[in-house]
Amino acid sequence: KAFPTGFQWATSTESFKVEGAWAADGKGLSIWDKFTHTPGKISEHDTGDVACNSYNKMEDDIAALKKVKVSHYRFSISWPRILPDGTTKYINQAGLNYYKKLLDSLIAANIEPQVTLYHWDLPQALQDVGGWENETIIERFKEYADVLFENLGPKVKLWITFNEPFVITVLGLNDRPDTLPYIVGHNIIKSHAEAWHVYNDKYRASQGGLVSITVNSDWAEPRNPYKQEDYEAARNILNLIFNLLHPLMSSLIQFLLEFLFSRLPEFTPEEIKRINGTYDYFGLNHYCSVLAFPVDFGTTQHFEADRGVVVISDRTWLETGSVWLRMTPFGLRRLLKFIKDEYRNPPIIITENGVSENGPVDLNDVHRKYYYEKYINQVLKAYLLDDVNIIGYTAWSLLDNLEWGVGYTERFGLFYVNRTDPDLPRTPKASVSFYSSIISCNGFPDPASGPQECWNPTPTIADP
């Protein structure tokens, strides 16, 4: 069974996690440079100073992408590499040149770029004046987006403004959890809308691209399927994950206004009008599912209390290299159907989906092959059986890279990066040929049809 013709098959990385060259060629300091240089913050004292050295190993990354046979590659731009202090007072031409070269290399390899403007590496200079809490950042982000659209836009057809606003607003903010997530979320949505309008007004006619935002969401099931309150808790999880999108998807933010009015900065009617409809497709990051049940937090005021829900995993779900990630392929189909029904069947690109390992290196990553087979099969069912308008799938990640607070201890890559070798060579895991076979067949061949030329999922594994 196959996906539609022209389906977008991709893999992905993020600038801070792979580029390295943290202070090279005029790049400014990012908040993650500062954070990883703070003792005790990152597992094994890891940093992104060198990371996978993608800044200097572009040819190796392109070769890896060609081996996977993807049609698209999702990567992000480092804001401080382009604008060292976060403003347009000084535009770092060396940074622009790096990304122009990367785009040219991808296009020469017949790989379409999908570019994320912000994947969490904020210029430290902007954080010093309040970061996402300071509403002046809306204008800074708009100016940054304008620079990228003008200089890189002719080579890019797919843009993402923000990766996972929910994570930025909630998981990234531990102080003042009662109000700060809502202030930050408010400013991020307005920043996204301004960037979308810049593209729509100045560049869309000549460049013909699409601009959207990508959200992360688990699927939530009731802990006890016989309890109505657990069903409501599961629905509450999805509502509060997707509530940031409500102003984009609809002119009504009724849920937000009723449930969170006391602490949410209010959108004016003019702001709602400007925000409404500022997406060209639905970007979705998904990894796993959870079980939900209600908890009364009393008078406590913070995001978790607003949600009124606690989530756990089922102990029978397969474990992975990350404590938060259990294999639950069924949830992805249900989530895609939920988005179709809730948001009038928008075109959906899965912008991240993948699984980790930790401990000893084993290039025969059977669990990753299993994960991709089962999850992609659920995506195919959503397309064929539920009529979900799914137009692309992205495997996270191309390379074993720095996974934020856990450093390099958890590895999501299709390619193993040997960190004991100064050259940081990329070695394909078994999942590379498996995923590339799915791509070559544009789905899964029918066993009844006999051997298919596109299906060659068993590689020869080299020693790491």
Side-chain angles (χ1 to χ4, degrees), residues 1-51:
K1 300 297 183 180
F3 286 92
T5 302
F7 191 77
Q8 300 170 15
W9 292 103
T11 186
S12 50
T13 60
E14 183 273 335
S15 53
F16 180 76
K17 292 184 175 190
V18 299
E19 284 180 5
W22 75 282
D25 295 340
K27 177 186 168 292
L29 192 71
S30 80
I31 56 174
W32 275 93
D33 291 322
K34 181 176 180 180
F35 189 74
T36 57
H37 290 168
T38 305
K41 295 294 186 181
I42 306 295
S43 180
E44 307 293 325
H45 310 290
D46 289 333
T47 72
D49 293 4
V50 177

Side-chain angles (χ1 to χ4, degrees), residues 109-219:
N110 201 29
I111 298 169
E112 191 81 25
Q114 183 179 36
V115 181
T116 304
L117 276 67
Y118 185 75
H119 200 137
W120 309 353
D121 44 351
L122 185 71
Q124 182 62 41
L126 293 183
Q127 184 61 42
D128 291 342
V129 295
W132 292 108
E133 187 181 357
N134 184 339
E135 65 178 7
T136 62
I137 203 167
I138 298 167
E139 189 65 24
R140 300 293 82 76
F141 186 77
K142 176 183 175 182
E143 294 165 350
Y144 165 58
D146 201 349
V147 169
L148 295 189
F149 295 151
E150 179 182 355
N151 288 276
L152 306 180
K155 305 175 191 293
V156 179
K157 296 299 183 205
L158 290 169
W159 294 96
I160 295 169
T161 54
F162 288 89
N163 182 75
E164 300 184 350
F166 177 82
V167 173
I168 303 167
T169 57
V170 177
L171 300 183
L173 299 163
N174 295 319
D175 59 331
R176 291 166 48 210
D178 56 335
T179 57
L180 201 53
Y182 301 107
I183 295 169
V184 167
H186 192 262
N187 288 337
I188 285 175
I189 288 299
K190 289 201 285 188
S191 298
H192 158 80
E194 289 307 312
W196 187 92
H197 280 290
V198 166
Y199 191 84
N200 198 54
D201 296 345
K202 293 178 65 176
Y203 301 103
R204 189 185 298 273
S206 61
Q207 296 179 5
L210 303 175
V211 180
S212 200
I213 193 168
T214 204
V215 297
N216 62 297
S217 181
D218 299 337
W219 174 251

Side-chain angles (χ1 to χ4, degrees), residues 166-403:
F166 177 82
V167 173
I168 303 167
T169 57
V170 177
L171 300 183
L173 299 163
N174 295 319
D175 59 331
R176 291 166 48 210
D178 56 335
T179 57
L180 201 53
Y182 301 107
I183 295 169
V184 167
H186 192 262
N187 288 337
I188 285 175
I189 288 299
K190 289 201 285 188
S191 298
H192 158 80
E194 289 307 312
W196 187 92
H197 280 290
V198 166
Y199 191 84
N200 198 54
D201 296 345
K202 293 178 65 176
Y203 301 103
R204 189 185 298 273
S206 61
Q207 296 179 5
L210 303 175
V211 180
S212 200
I213 193 168
T214 204
V215 297
N216 62 297
S217 181
D218 299 337
W219 174 251
E221 291 279 326
R223 180 179 67 167
N224 185 336
Y226 300 102
K227 281 189 174 182
Q228 179 63 28
E229 57 264 40
D230 286 12
Y231 272 97
E232 292 169 358
R235 178 60 188 237
N236 226 2
I237 289 286
L238 295 171
N239 281 340
L240 273 163
I241 287 172
F242 284 108
N243 68 18
L244 281 172
L245 287 188
H246 281 228
L248 275 67
M249 303 294 184
S250 168
S251 60
L252 298 174
I253 50 171
Q254 198 61 38
F255 176 80
L256 283 169
L257 294 178
E258 288 178 358
F259 193 58
L260 308 172
F261 184 81
S262 62
R263 292 194 297 286
L264 179 77
E266 190 174 356
F267 289 104
T268 67
E270 293 78 16
E271 287 172 341
I272 292 174
K273 184 177 179 182
R274 188 154 178 83
I275 293 167
N276 184 26
T278 56
Y279 70 103
D280 299 325
Y281 60 92
F282 194 113
L284 174 68
N285 292 355
H286 173 80
Y287 290 87
C288 60
S289 298
V290 293
L291 301 177
F293 60 97
V295 170
D296 185 357
F297 285 83
T299 58
T300 304
Q301 290 194 341
H302 57 73
F303 180 84
E304 293 297 329
D306 290 340
R307 194 162 69 168
V309 176
V310 168
V311 298
I312 58 173
S313 295
D314 189 314
R315 286 176 293 177
T316 65
W317 295 342
L318 288 176
E319 295 179 335
T320 69
S322 302
V323 66
W324 55 269
L325 203 174
R326 298 271 188 137
M327 293 196 202
T328 49
F330 64 88
L332 180 51
R333 177 182 173 187
R334 295 176 190 180
L335 181 59
L336 291 169
K337 178 72 161 53
F338 171 84
I339 294 168
K340 173 197 171 183
D341 294 342
E342 195 77 5
Y343 298 115
R344 300 191 296 276
N345 201 19
I348 301 171
I349 299 176
I350 295 170
T351 44
E352 285 182 25
N353 181 238
V355 69
S356 61
E357 73 260 2
N358 59 29
V361 175
D362 184 358
L363 296 180
N364 188 20
D365 54 344
V366 176
H367 74 298
R368 184 168 288 105
K369 291 165 64 176
Y370 176 88
Y371 183 98
Y372 284 141
E373 177 186 359
K374 301 305 180 185
Y375 274 74
I376 293 171
N377 191 41
Q378 291 294 324
V379 178
L380 186 58
K381 287 180 179 180
Y383 165 64
L384 292 174
L385 303 179
D386 303 330
D387 295 318
V388 172
N389 187 9
I390 181 82
I391 62 173
Y393 174 89
T394 308
W396 179 270
S397 170
L398 177 66
L399 306 172
D400 288 340
N401 56 46
L402 186 135
E403 286 295 336

